[in-house]
C-alpha cells in the first residue's frame, strides 16, 4: 500500500519530490493476477476474512515461520471495513498511476524480491524502464 501511495505522489506531484523509492510496488498486473486480487477485494467487502491465503502467499506453508503468527494476529484483528477499503484501492491501483513514470524526472528506485509473486521483478523493471532515472533492484 505504501508503494501505491508513493507512486501516486510521484505521478501527481513529481515536482515536490527529490527522489522516490517503491518497495514491492505493483505495476500493470496480468489479467489473471488482477482478477484474483479483485476477487479477494470483493470477498473482503462481503465480510469474508481468511488470513490463511495471504499468509501462504507471503510466507509459504511453514507454520514455524517466525513472522507468520505476528502477521496472522494483525490480519485477524484489523478493522474489517478499513481493510476492505484499503484492499479495494490496492486491487485496482496498479494501473492508476502506471502512465505517470515518464514524468518523474527525479531518481526512482524500485525494489522487490526475486521470488515475489505479487510485485514481480518484471514489474519493478518495467517501472524503472518507464522512469527517466529509474533503477530496479531485485
Amino acid at each position: 500500500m505504501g508503494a501505491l501511495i508513493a507512486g501516486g505522489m510521484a505521478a501527481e506531484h513529481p515536482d515536490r519530490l527529490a527522489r522516490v523509492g517503491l518497495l514491492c510496488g505493483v505495476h500493470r498486473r496480468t489479467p489473471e493476477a488482477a482478477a484474483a486480487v479483485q476477487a479477494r477485494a470483493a470477498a473482503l467487502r462481503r465480510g469474508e476474512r481468511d488470513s490463511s491465503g495471504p499468509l501462504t502467499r507471503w510466507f509459504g506453508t511453514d507454520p514455524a515461520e517466525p513472522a507468520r503468527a505476528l502477521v496472522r494476529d494483525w490480519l485477524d484483528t484489523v478493522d474489517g471495513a478499513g481493510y476492505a477499503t484499503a484492499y479495494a484501492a490496492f486491487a485496482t491501483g496498479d494501473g492508476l498511476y502506471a502512465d505517470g513514470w515518464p514524468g518523474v524526472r527525479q531518481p526512482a528506485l524500485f525494489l522487490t524480491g526475486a521470488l515475489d509473486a505479487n510485485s514481480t521483478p518484471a514489474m519493478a523493471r518495467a517501472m524503472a524502464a518507464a522512469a527517466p532515472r529509474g533503477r530496479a533492484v531485485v
Side-chain angles (χ1 to χ4, degrees):
M1 195 59 158
L4 177 61
I5 294 167
M9 181 69 183
E12 295 288 324
H13 304 285
D15 56 312
R16 298 178 78 184
L17 303 173
R19 65 192 58 81
V20 65
L22 272 66
L23 176 60
C24 300
V26 181
H27 180 74
R28 299 191 196 276
R29 290 180 181 98
T30 65
E32 297 81 16
V37 173
Q38 290 169 15
R40 287 193 292 275
L44 287 169
R45 280 192 302 275
R46 292 189 301 269
E48 299 170 17
R49 294 177 59 177
D50 176 16
S51 61
S52 64
L55 292 172
T56 299
R57 282 192 305 281
W58 299 335
F59 301 111
T61 57
D62 181 3
E65 164 61 44
R68 187 183 188 94
L70 177 63
V71 174
R72 183 196 63 233
D73 290 346
W74 287 341
L75 288 174
D76 289 347
T77 59
V78 71
D79 176 75
Y83 185 32
T85 299
Y87 202 89
F90 172 73
T92 58
D94 62 301
L96 189 59
Y97 301 113
D99 293 332
W101 290 115
V104 178
R105 304 278 179 227
Q106 297 78 357
L109 178 62
F110 306 92
L111 298 133
T112 196
L115 301 177
D116 194 322
N118 297 307
S119 59
T120 67
M123 290 177 179
R125 290 183 186 110
M127 287 184 283
R133 296 175 65 192
R135 177 175 172 226
V137 175
V138 178

